[in-house]
Amino acid sequence: MTAALVAGALALLAWPGAASRRRERLRRLAGGPRPVAAWAAPGTPAAWPVLAGAAGLLAGALAGPPLVAVLAGAVAAGVARAALRQREGRREEQSLDVLADALAALAAELRSGRPLGAATASAVAVVPDPGAARELARALRAPEAVPAGASSELGRAHARLAAAVRLSNRTGCSLAAVAGAVEDDLRARRRRRDELRSVTAGPRASAALLAGLPLLALAMGGGIGARPWTVLTTTVVGQGLLVAGVTLEAAGLAWSARLVRRALR
């Protein structure tokens, strides 16, 4: 037990924070080696919620009646889906940070007098992800081909960049200036998301604590010999209360997560 606690503490100390991420972005801008492997790795498979649901169904079947198995499968699938969505959100935020760095490199190259082709190549070289690099190159070289109605935040950022490039082409204003404006917009949006995430940290922690209270109540009831789990799984009234409790718990967590996502957009 002591060894596990020490290992966990060392892992937390070694976890990369905001300062290390800033150093990584500065290293990319300075022309350091590109972490292609970390970016080119495939994302989490979309079938993970199904696999998690199947695993939860099997575990519930071994632990109790069919109702418990169905609820365990549904909860496992929901947790896996939430984790998948959270991971995709982190990857998109990282892509937006890299896009802002690429625009900073583009503006610096253009202000130094380099031609647009060379400056675009330098900006694309900052982006380790091949797909994101192609989208950035298309927004700079063929802005008319970039769709305006993207669903993701990264797609909307590329659409704003393409609109800025079209504005520069039509009016003759400096492309470095419009690229810098898009970069400032991306960084301002990131600061706003960080501030909102800090503001909502307390309510999110409260929601997680309230979600765990029923499990604590079950453990305390079992500790005093009341056998609440037996009542919930073997009686009709208990099974109805179990279904209602799990449904309300899932609905509350989904509602609070949806509010946080809408606030962070």
Side-chain angles (χ1 to χ4, degrees), residues 109-207:
E109 293 285 338
L110 292 174
R111 291 191 181 102
S112 66
R114 297 194 66 185
L116 178 58
T120 301
S122 299
V124 171
V126 176
V127 182
D129 183 21
R134 287 193 299 269
E135 292 296 326
L136 175 60
R138 184 173 67 164
L140 293 174
R141 295 169 179 167
E144 293 79 9
V146 178
S151 58
S152 63
E153 183 64 29
L154 183 61
R156 289 192 290 270
H158 284 135
R160 291 195 298 271
L161 176 60
V165 175
R166 289 195 299 268
L167 176 65
S168 175
N169 294 336
R170 292 173 184 173
T171 62
C173 62
S174 172
L175 181 58
V178 296
V182 177
E183 177 202 354
D184 293 340
D185 177 67
L186 289 175
R187 299 197 187 281
R189 290 170 183 264
R190 178 57 187 264
R191 287 193 297 269
R192 175 178 171 273
R193 285 195 300 269
D194 290 341
E195 292 173 359
L196 288 175
R197 192 174 285 112
S198 300
V199 169
T200 58
R204 286 188 284 116
S206 299

Side-chain angles (χ1 to χ4, degrees), residues 237-250:
V237 176
Q239 290 180 355
L241 292 175
L242 180 61
V243 172
V246 172
T247 303
L248 290 175
E249 187 106 356

Side-chain angles (χ1 to χ4, degrees), residues 71 75 78-79 206-218 241-257:
L71 292 177
V75 170
V79 171
S206 299
L209 178 61
L210 291 176
L213 287 181
L215 299 178
L216 179 61
L218 287 175
L241 292 175
L242 180 61
V243 172
V246 172
T247 303
L248 290 175
E249 187 106 356
L253 289 176
W255 179 70
S256 60

Side-chain angles (χ1 to χ4, degrees), residues 18-99:
S20 63
R21 289 194 296 269
R22 285 195 297 269
R23 288 194 297 269
E24 175 66 21
R25 291 199 294 270
L26 289 174
R27 186 185 61 78
R28 286 198 302 267
L29 287 174
R34 292 165 56 183
V36 177
W39 277 82
T44 305
W48 274 25
V50 178
L51 297 177
L57 186 66
L58 179 60
L62 296 176
L67 176 62
V68 175
V70 172
L71 292 177
V75 170
V79 171
R81 183 179 178 183
L84 179 61
R85 182 176 296 176
Q86 185 177 10
R87 182 183 179 185
E88 291 300 325
R90 288 196 299 266
R91 288 177 63 87
E92 187 175 51
E93 288 187 357
Q94 187 179 11
S95 300
L96 290 171
D97 290 340
V98 172
L99 178 60

